[in-house]
Amino acid sequence: PNMELAQWEKFLFIDPFGTVGGATRSPIGVMRAVPETRQLLATCLAEVRAVAASFGVDLTDEIVARTWQRYDSLPPESTASMQRD
């Protein structure tokens, strides 16, 4: 029902995943297990959330928690297509 929110929610998932993965050359299993890369993911999530807010889009705590659940449920060897590109 809210296309703009859905787009930002997708961006919240894929941007940190691809960015941190590309910078560290690590799959999600490593990114979520190593405290420093997990914190980097958290920092990137917060940045995307702040940019969305500047456009009037509220990426709620629930949406962020759902994003973490998605990261934590991916097979450990998963990488983002943005990272592979």
Side-chain angles (χ1 to χ4, degrees), residues 16-59:
F17 183 20
T19 299
V20 175
T24 64
R25 297 182 180 186
S26 300
I28 192 66
V30 172
M31 287 188 276
R32 64 184 180 217
V34 174
E36 292 84 1
T37 51
R38 191 167 183 92
Q39 180 57 51
L40 189 53
L41 280 170
T43 300
C44 290
L45 287 167
E47 185 172 346
V48 171
R49 194 175 186 187
V51 173
S54 76
F55 284 94
V57 176
D58 183 19
L59 294 172

